[in-house]
Each structure stands twice: as structure tokens, then as C-alpha cells.
Amino acid sequence: WELYTEIIKQQFQNNNGKTWLGHINDALTVIATVPRFAFDLIQREVVDSIVAALKLTAPIAERETYLKHERDLQQSLLEGNKVIMIAHSQGNLFVNKAYQYSISKTDSSAVGVIHVAPASIKLNGNHILADQDLVINGLRLSGSVPSNTHSIPVYKPFGNNFGRDAFGHGFLETYTNHNFPMYSALDSEVNNLLNTLRAPSK
């Protein structure tokens, strides 16, 4: 677990391509001087654009992702491993199905879920959500999301995390940042599951 975030960070650094969130971060840096009164409007427009883009690719991508998760989970459970799933943002929509699949194959005492910045109100474990996560706050404008659990101590419009994470939403930049309380909370949740989950019974 101590090496988990470093491994993930290295994988991100080795990837020369940018995610859609990376491009949005770049765009928001350019418009960092936008007046405060326009902030909520821009936030809503960005979220609407993201949701629309995801809907275009959702059906095929979802089916392929679900099948891959099921194969990986089945293999892990067959090997007698306890399973801890950490889901971030839209990943929470997938982890709920992955959890249901897992407990259909084994006892729930062998499977644990930690929801980070959940985009879904449905939870199958404890969650961690920063109050200044602008992506989830944007979703809150048009629906229900879980309650905030932590506060980001420093806020700069379009520059959360000292300008490194415009939306205050990044898994690496915000939620596993040692300077923010979410990191120690995630660490505690993982260790708790490591200590309490039991090997699969069937």
C-alpha cells in the first residue's frame, strides 16, 4: 500500500497522452482570471460537456470494462485473495457492479470497496469526498451525490492544490496528496480493510 500511489504516479508520468481532465486543466489555466460571478456558469457548462462526451462512448466502453472487471475479479477470488477495490470519480459507477458481481461469487466479508470522489449516490463501502471537488460539486447541481467528508484547506479559483489540480478532483493531485487530509483517510480505510477482510469462503 505504501508504494501504491508511487506506482500509479509513475504509470501516469510514463503516459505521454493526456486524459480529458488534463486538457480541461490546461484550458482552465488559460481562463484563470475569469470573474467570480461567471464561475458557477462555467462549472455547469464544463460538467454538461463532460457528461455529453461520456454518453457518446458509454455503451461499448461500459460493456468491455464490466467484462474485464469480472474476469480479473473471478481470477483473484479463485486464487483465494481478499479483494479491495478503490474507485475514483466515474469509476464508482463501475465498482458498484464489480462489487455485486464479487459477492455473487463469494462472501461479502472477502470484498471491500472504498469510494473516492464518488459520482454515484449508491455506495458499497465508505467514501472520501473533498468539499472543493468542483467536478462532484458540479454533479451536485443537477442530482444527488454523497456528502463531503473532508475540507481542502487552501482554495484558489481554478487552481485548487496550488494550481496543480484545477478541479480539486484528481486522484493523484488531490486525493492522495500527502498535504491534504484525504490521503491519511484513504490510508486508514485501506489498512482497516486489510485487517478485517477474510479470504474467500467459496
Coordinates of all heavy atoms in Angstrom, one line a residue, residues 3-4 13 18 30 33 37 58 61 75 77 83 114 118 122-123 127 141 160 171-173 175 182 184 186:
L3 N 3.6 1.8 -1.5 CA 4.1 2.1 -2.8 C 3.0 2.3 -3.8 O 3.3 2.6 -5.0 CB 4.9 0.9 -3.2 CG 6.2 0.6 -2.4 CD1 6.9 -0.7 -2.9 CD2 7.2 1.8 -2.5
Y4 N 1.7 2.1 -3.4 CA 0.6 2.1 -4.4 C 0.6 3.4 -5.2 O 0.6 3.4 -6.4 CB -0.7 1.9 -3.7 CG -1.9 2.0 -4.5 CD1 -2.2 1.0 -5.5 CD2 -2.7 3.1 -4.5 CE1 -3.3 1.2 -6.3 CE2 -3.8 3.3 -5.3 CZ -4.1 2.3 -6.2 OH -5.2 2.4 -7.0
Q13 N 3.1 9.3 -15.3 CA 4.2 10.1 -15.9 C 4.7 9.4 -17.2 O 5.2 10.1 -18.0 CB 5.3 10.2 -14.8 CG 4.9 11.1 -13.7 CD 5.9 11.2 -12.6 OE1 6.7 10.2 -12.5 NE2 5.9 12.2 -11.8
K18 N -2.7 12.7 -22.9 CA -3.4 13.4 -21.8 C -4.9 12.9 -21.7 O -5.5 12.5 -22.8 CB -3.5 14.9 -22.1 CG -2.2 15.6 -21.7 CD -2.4 17.1 -21.8 CE -1.1 17.8 -21.3 NZ -1.3 19.3 -21.4
V30 N -5.7 28.8 -18.6 CA -5.8 29.9 -19.5 C -6.8 30.9 -19.1 O -6.6 32.1 -19.2 CB -6.1 29.5 -20.9 CG1 -6.2 30.7 -21.9 CG2 -5.0 28.6 -21.5
T33 N -8.3 34.0 -14.9 CA -8.6 35.3 -14.4 C -10.1 35.6 -14.6 O -10.5 36.7 -14.4 CB -7.8 36.4 -15.2 OG1 -8.0 36.2 -16.6 CG2 -6.3 36.2 -14.9
F37 N -18.2 35.9 -10.7 CA -19.6 35.7 -11.0 C -19.9 34.7 -12.1 O -21.0 34.1 -12.3 CB -20.3 37.0 -11.3 CG -19.9 37.6 -12.7 CD1 -20.5 37.2 -13.9 CD2 -18.9 38.6 -12.7 CE1 -20.1 37.7 -15.1 CE2 -18.5 39.1 -13.9 CZ -19.1 38.7 -15.1
A58 N -20.2 5.6 -24.0 CA -20.5 4.8 -22.8 C -20.9 3.3 -23.1 O -20.4 2.4 -22.5 CB -21.6 5.5 -22.0
A61 N -17.9 1.0 -24.2 CA -16.8 1.1 -23.2 C -17.3 0.4 -21.9 O -16.5 -0.3 -21.2 CB -16.4 2.5 -22.9
Q75 N -10.7 -14.4 -11.3 CA -9.4 -14.9 -11.2 C -8.8 -14.7 -9.8 O -8.3 -15.6 -9.1 CB -8.4 -14.4 -12.2 CG -7.0 -14.9 -12.2 CD -7.0 -16.4 -12.5 OE1 -7.8 -16.9 -13.3 NE2 -6.1 -17.1 -11.8
L77 N -10.4 -14.1 -6.9 CA -11.1 -14.8 -5.9 C -10.8 -16.3 -6.0 O -10.7 -17.0 -5.0 CB -12.6 -14.6 -6.1 CG -13.1 -13.2 -5.8 CD1 -14.5 -13.0 -6.3 CD2 -13.0 -12.8 -4.3
V83 N -10.3 -9.1 -1.7 CA -10.3 -8.0 -2.8 C -10.7 -6.7 -2.2 O -11.7 -6.6 -1.5 CB -11.4 -8.4 -3.8 CG1 -11.6 -7.3 -4.8 CG2 -11.0 -9.7 -4.6
I114 N -13.8 1.1 -1.4 CA -13.6 2.5 -0.9 C -13.9 3.4 -2.1 O -13.3 3.3 -3.1 CB -12.1 2.7 -0.4 CG1 -11.7 1.7 0.6 CG2 -11.9 4.2 0.1 CD1 -10.2 1.7 0.9
P118 N -16.9 10.0 -5.2 CA -17.9 9.2 -5.9 C -18.9 10.1 -6.7 O -19.4 11.1 -6.2 CB -18.7 8.5 -4.8 CG -18.4 9.3 -3.6 CD -17.1 9.9 -3.7
K122 N -25.0 5.8 -4.9 CA -25.0 4.4 -4.4 C -23.6 4.1 -3.9 O -22.6 4.2 -4.7 CB -25.4 3.5 -5.5 CG -25.5 2.0 -5.0 CD -25.9 1.1 -6.2 CE -25.9 -0.3 -5.7 NZ -26.3 -1.3 -6.8
L123 N -23.5 3.6 -2.7 CA -22.2 3.3 -2.1 C -22.2 1.9 -1.5 O -23.2 1.4 -1.0 CB -21.8 4.3 -1.0 CG -21.8 5.7 -1.3 CD1 -21.5 6.6 -0.1 CD2 -20.7 6.0 -2.3
H127 N -16.8 6.3 2.0 CA -16.4 7.2 0.9 C -15.6 8.3 1.4 O -15.6 8.7 2.6 CB -17.6 7.7 0.1 CG -18.4 8.8 0.8 ND1 -19.2 8.5 1.9 CD2 -18.4 10.1 0.6 CE1 -19.8 9.7 2.3 NE2 -19.3 10.7 1.5
L141 N -25.2 19.9 -8.6 CA -26.1 20.9 -9.1 C -27.3 20.3 -9.8 O -28.4 20.9 -9.8 CB -25.4 21.9 -10.0 CG -24.3 22.8 -9.4 CD1 -23.6 23.6 -10.6 CD2 -24.9 23.7 -8.4
N160 N -7.1 24.8 -7.5 CA -7.0 24.0 -6.3 C -5.7 23.3 -6.3 O -5.1 23.1 -7.3 CB -8.1 23.0 -6.2 CG -9.5 23.6 -5.8 OD1 -9.5 24.6 -5.1 ND2 -10.6 23.0 -6.2
F171 N -7.1 12.2 -8.6 CA -6.8 11.2 -7.6 C -5.4 11.3 -7.1 O -5.2 11.3 -5.9 CB -7.0 9.8 -8.3 CG -6.7 8.6 -7.3 CD1 -7.7 8.3 -6.4 CD2 -5.6 7.9 -7.3 CE1 -7.5 7.3 -5.5 CE2 -5.4 6.9 -6.4 CZ -6.3 6.5 -5.5
L172 N -4.5 11.6 -8.0 CA -3.1 11.8 -7.5 C -2.8 13.1 -7.0 O -2.2 13.3 -5.9 CB -2.1 11.5 -8.7 CG -2.1 10.1 -9.3 CD1 -1.2 10.1 -10.5 CD2 -1.6 9.1 -8.3
E173 N -3.3 14.2 -7.7 CA -3.0 15.5 -7.3 C -3.7 16.0 -6.0 O -3.2 16.8 -5.3 CB -3.4 16.5 -8.4 CG -2.7 16.2 -9.7 CD -3.4 15.2 -10.6 OE1 -4.4 14.5 -10.1 OE2 -3.1 15.1 -11.8
Y175 N -6.5 13.7 -4.0 CA -6.9 12.7 -3.0 C -5.8 11.9 -2.4 O -6.0 11.4 -1.3 CB -8.0 11.8 -3.6 CG -9.3 12.6 -3.7 CD1 -9.7 13.3 -4.8 CD2 -10.2 12.6 -2.6 CE1 -10.9 14.0 -4.9 CE2 -11.4 13.3 -2.6 CZ -11.7 14.0 -3.7 OH -12.9 14.7 -3.8
M182 N -7.3 13.9 3.0 CA -7.9 12.8 2.4 C -6.9 11.6 2.2 O -7.3 10.5 2.2 CB -8.4 13.2 1.0 CG -9.6 14.1 1.0 SD -9.0 15.9 1.2 CE -8.3 16.2 -0.4
S184 N -4.5 10.6 4.4 CA -4.5 9.7 5.6 C -5.8 9.0 5.8 O -5.8 7.9 6.3 CB -4.1 10.6 6.8 OG -5.1 11.6 7.0
L186 N -7.7 7.8 3.3 CA -7.6 6.7 2.4 C -6.7 5.6 2.9 O -7.0 4.4 2.9 CB -7.2 7.2 1.0 CG -7.1 6.1 -0.1 CD1 -8.4 5.4 -0.3 CD2 -6.6 6.8 -1.4

